[in-house]
Structure formats: C-alpha cells, structure tokens
Amino acid sequence: MTDAPSFGARLRSRLAGLLPTLRLRLVVVFALVALTAAVSASGIAYWLNRDAVLTRAQNAALNDFRKAMEDNAGNLPRKVDCGQLREAAAKMARSSQNYQVLLVDETESGKRCAAASNQDDFALGDVPDRLRHAVEEKRPVTKQNKHPYHLYWQRITLDGDPYLVGGAKVIGEEPTPTGYLLKSLAPERDDLSSLGWSLGIATGLALIGAMLLAQAAATTVLRPVRRLGEAARRLGEGKLETRLRVSGTDELAELSRTFNDAAASLEQRVAELSAREASSRRFVADMSHELRTPMTAISAVTEVLEEEQDNLDPMIAPAVQLVVSETRRLNDLVENLMEVTRFDAGTARLVLDDVDVADQVTACIDARAWLDAVELDADRGIMARLDPRRLDVILANLIGNALKHGGSPVRVSVHTRERPDGGDGDELAIEVADQGPGIPEDVLPHVFDRFYKASASRPRSEGSGLGLSIALENAHIHGGEITAHNAPSGEGGAVFTLHLPRDARRVAEEWERENGEGTGERPRNGDDGAQDEGEDR
C-alpha cells in the first residue's frame, strides 16, 4: 500500500504540466510578482487619493454651508414665509462650491415650508430619512456636547450619479430653520476615474516591463544552464574532453567549476579503465594466439590417438578418450576466445553475399547431422544479403543450444516482416523453439552473458559459456538482435528469435566509414569463425 501524494506534490506536478520550461516559470513568477506589486501599489494610491479628494471636496462644501447657514438662515425673522426661505436658499446656493440648498421652517401660519434653491434639482424627498432624523434630533448639552444640534452628512447616489447630502439646524430659540445641501460629486468621480485609468495603464506597463526583465533574467540565468546541459550531453556521448568556460564567482560559476572537476576526474578514471581493459584484451588475444600453435600440434596427436583407440589397451582407452574430448573442448575454447577478442577489438568484419535463407539453414543442420532432430518451416526463395559464415555461426549456436537443453524436435521457422522501427527494407526473423522446460525467469536476462551458466552445480559442461554471446555479437554486427523468451505454458520450452535486416550493406558501409577499412574480410587459416554448439543455460 502506497501513501497518496500530498497536496503540495500534486500542486507541483500540475504546475510542472502547465509550465513545462524553466524560462516560462521564471517569466510567470516575475509577472505575478510585478502584477501583485503594481496592483497593490495602484490600489493603495487610488484609495488614498480617493479619500483625499472626497474629503477635501466634502469639507470645503460643508464648511461653506455652515457659514452660509449662519449668515443667511440665522438672520431670518422668527415669523418667516416661504418666499423668504426660497430667497435665502437661492442666496446660499450662489456659493462657489456649487451646491443646491433646501431650507425647512414653520411659516407664520404654522405650516411647515420646504423651499429649495431649485425645486427641479433638490427636494426634501432626496434627503435620506436617517439623515433628517439625525439633523432634527436635539441632544442634551453637556461638557462633551456643547450644542444641541450638529451638522451631519451622507454620500448618496441619485440617478447613477454620486452626491453629498448635508444638513444642519440653526441653533436658537425655536422654531429655527433647518438647512440641507446637495452637492454633486461627479467631477470628483471623473477625476478618480481618470486616476484609475492612469494607474491601470501604469500597472500594465509595469507588467510588460517585468515580463521583459524576466525574459532578460531568464536568458541570463538559462544560458549557462543550457551550456551545462549541452556539455553534460556531450559528456554522456563519450566526449570526455568536454569542459565549460568559467567566468565570475556566482553559484552558476561554481557549478561550472564542479562540472569541470567531475569531467576531469571521469576522463582520468575512464582512461585508466580503458588502459586496463585494453591490456586485458591484449592479454586474452596474445594468450589465444600463443595457445593456438601448441593446440594445433596437440589436436594432431589426439587425432592419431583416436584413430588407434581400438588397438590400445582397454585400461588406457578411457584415458585416451578423455584426452581427445578435453583437447577438442580446449581447442573450441581457444577459437571462441579469439573470436571474442576480434569483436572486442572492433576488427570483426562482414563478408556479404546473397544467400537463400532456407538453404543456409538446411546446410547448417545437414553439416552437423541434425536433420532428424530439427523441423524446418521455411519457404524457399527468401533471399538476403548477409555474411553466410556468421549466419551459420548464429544458427549453429541457437539450434545446438536448443537440442542440448530442450531436446528434440527443435522447430526452426523463417519469415519476413516490415521493420518495427520503420526503416527501409524488410526484416528477417528466424525463430528457434525447443520442447524443453524453458529458461528460469531469473536466468533469462543473463543467457547472452559471457561464461554465464544457470546452474552452479554444472561448472564443467561441453559448452564454454561463450556460444550465445558470440551469436549475439554476430547478430549485432549485421545490425540485428537476438531475443529470448519462454513459450506459453503447454506450448513448448524456450524460444530464441533472430532479427536481421535482409540487406546488411548499409551496416557494412557505416562500419567501413567508421573504421576506414573494407568490408570484404576473407577467412584466414584457422580464422573461419568460432562456434560453440550448445551454450550452457
């Protein structure tokens, strides 16, 4: 049971999907930071300016209204009529603050009169009830409250436009007039709207500038990172002399120095390992060549002993037979070692020829007297341009291995198909299936390893442990591959499949370009290709 990923991990995974590149992430982060800062600064500036503009306009109008009430409404007679109220209201409205005035008082007849400087623009119904109640409310006079009536104000909206409404009552022997003002705040709204647009434009310009700076910063940061990535790629391709130019003392410069130190250490280590490997290969090659001459002489002697085996003392014959078999095994091992050293040294070459694959398989089986133990499923006329000797080595090892460990009958099938990688030409597939118990799952990954044997209890077997490895190398030199798997339960044992291009000329030409040599290698004395028929599983 595995733990579910945390919210932070899921969020990072989702962000990585939305912002796949580091450059894009840097630009987005810069933009978000700049946008947040610009919006915050613009918002604060807007609200501070808004408060300052409205407070200034409001205080100017209210102070002017208070003075006008004292100078005009306060001088009205106690017994006033509507005409006098209207005249006083009109006089108060002629202020520089440009507001409308409404005066309310009791007339001589005892009726309540509301006279406005402009009846069409301002009426008592425009004044909020809450404000009227506050203005008319008489409060007790105390040390903290020196006046029974105060000036109150409120901002309202009429027909979509903002207004300031204020009201006050003249202090004196009642009844006294009550006055209200109505001042339009549309000019202030327009000024604030212009300010908002200006701040919005400034925010947009700041965002664009931040994105440009982010792009420049990302380029500055990512350029050495990109160079580091390219250097790492070249190092991974085997170009161990790759180094980075270091300048500066920042973290990226320190990273470049670390990379150079690691590359130098790796180059030195690889050089040491290559020297050791080359020395080991030379030792194996020299040893194989040195063994070849005495092995030729020993083989000749053992052939004579084998021919005379019937005439030998029965007590000596088993020892002679053991010497003959072990000599042949040792001779095969020397040949296989020499073949392996050619692959390791890169000197193995293809000698291409047009072959009928079915005839080639039949010839391989017939040469080793396996006709009775092998079933061939191959159509005549399947032509391929391959190296016949190396194809014979591959087939001999695969079929011999199947006969030794799987038992007969071994089924060999040959067919062609399109190349799975979409390359030009068809692919040749030769399948070798036995009827044995199959290959253990833990052994499958190692069947092509050199000297690998599945059972430690069988360290000595007829095979050298190199046959399947040599077969795989011969497939690789053609540009092909060998795969191994077990057939489904009840349908058979192990199945080895050889995949080869039907025309290996392109592979041979590439090898010739890389090595500067021809591909027409002709077998020399004793160098006709080793084959270990029957690799140990």
Side-chain angles (χ1 to χ4, degrees), residues 47 50 111 129 353 397 482:
W47 285 109
R50 179 180 182 275
K111 294 182 179 180
D129 294 339
D353 197 2
N397 278 288
I482 302 177

Side-chain angles (χ1 to χ4, degrees), residues 23-55:
R23 179 185 297 274
L24 185 57
R25 294 175 195 171
L26 286 173
V27 171
V28 169
V29 169
F30 266 78
L32 289 177
V33 171
L35 182 62
T36 302
V39 169
S40 300
S42 298
I44 293 173
Y46 178 80
W47 285 109
L48 290 176
N49 280 275
R50 179 180 182 275
D51 185 68
V53 169
L54 293 179
T55 301

Side-chain angles (χ1 to χ4, degrees), residues 284-344:
V284 173
D286 294 344
M287 181 188 67
S288 300
H289 280 286
E290 290 299 325
L291 287 174
R292 197 168 192 180
T293 300
M295 283 306 304
T296 302
I298 293 173
S299 297
V301 173
T302 56
E303 288 177 1
V304 173
L305 290 175
E306 188 176 21
E307 291 175 357
E308 297 295 329
Q309 187 174 2
D310 295 338
N311 301 325
L312 297 175
D313 188 322
M315 299 294 293
I316 302 176
V320 171
Q321 181 60 37
L322 178 62
V323 170
V324 170
S325 62
E326 289 299 311
T327 300
R328 287 176 177 172
R329 183 173 180 274
L330 182 59
N331 187 65
D332 290 341
L333 178 59
V334 171
E335 294 294 336
N336 285 338
L337 286 174
M338 293 187 66
E339 183 76 357
V340 167
T341 57
R342 280 192 289 272
F343 283 120
D344 289 343

Side-chain angles (χ1 to χ4, degrees), residues 246-257:
V246 181
S247 60
T249 58
D250 56 11
E251 289 80 359
L252 291 174
E254 185 63 27
L255 180 61
S256 299
R257 292 190 186 92

